[in-house]
Amino acid sequence: MKSYPSELKANVVKEHVEKGVSCSQLSKTFNIPTRNIYKWVKKFRDSGENYSCFFNGPFNKNSIVSRGSKVPPVVYENSGVDLDEISRLCMEYPDLAQTLQALKDLVIKKDIEIRVLREQVEFVKKNLNQRK
């Protein structure tokens, strides 16, 4: 099964939704099966018509990281990041998507480091309390 870049998915859906281009015409233009475009449009509509749905994969809400480099929305919410703005910028500047991915990976790495350090601090506190 062929995989398509998130930016392409968002741009194809944008052409359909905002410019009224038919899915069959988009299929011919971009050489993408029509069924894929229908799935992308459904995903877009199911997300509340938010283009960021193509840039943020599914995640396990109980896990800090899912699918390797995907950042759970709660990390964005806690940092005050506007996902719609990120989505718009990624479509406008395709090279930005690569930079954004690198930053996502860095955020995940730092978040994991913080969690590990917190667990270590709690462990040390617990051991100190047991010695008293």
Side-chain angles (χ1 to χ4, degrees):
M1 184 171 146
K2 186 172 181 179
S3 179
Y4 298 93
S6 298
E7 295 82 6
L8 175 64
K9 293 176 185 179
N11 285 328
V12 168
V13 170
K14 188 174 187 175
E15 290 285 313
H16 174 71
V17 172
E18 295 180 12
K19 296 183 181 174
V21 181
S22 72
C23 290
S24 61
Q25 182 58 47
L26 290 167
S27 173
K28 292 173 188 168
T29 302
F30 291 97
N31 195 25
I32 298 170
T34 308
R35 69 181 174 276
N36 289 29
I37 298 171
Y38 283 122
K39 287 179 188 176
W40 301 342
V41 170
K42 181 180 181 340
K43 181 177 182 174
F44 172 74
R45 297 212 192 281
D46 289 348
S47 75
E49 300 196 353
N50 187 338
Y51 290 105
S52 66
C53 70
F54 298 109
F55 299 96
N56 296 326
F59 67 97
N60 176 348
K61 67 182 179 184
N62 298 319
S63 172
I64 139 179
V65 179
S66 173
R67 295 188 62 207
S69 64
K70 301 300 179 186
V71 177
V74 70
V75 173
Y76 290 114
E77 292 165 10
N78 291 342
S79 63
V81 172
D82 183 354
L83 292 176
D84 291 331
E85 181 67 5
I86 288 174
S87 175
R88 184 189 67 74
L89 289 170
C90 285
M91 287 187 287
E92 221 173 288
Y93 306 98
D95 292 342
L96 182 63
Q98 289 177 337
T99 303
L100 178 61
Q101 187 60 51
L103 291 172
K104 283 180 179 181
D105 293 340
L106 183 61
V107 166
I108 289 171
K109 181 180 175 185
K110 294 302 178 185
D111 193 42
I112 291 171
E113 288 175 11
I114 289 168
R115 288 173 186 256
V116 168
L117 289 171
R118 284 183 179 151
E119 287 178 9
Q120 289 174 347
V121 167
E122 288 303 314
F123 178 77
V124 170
K125 283 181 180 178
K126 193 176 187 179
N127 284 337
L128 286 174
N129 287 337
Q130 287 177 354
R131 289 182 183 176
K132 290 181 182 181

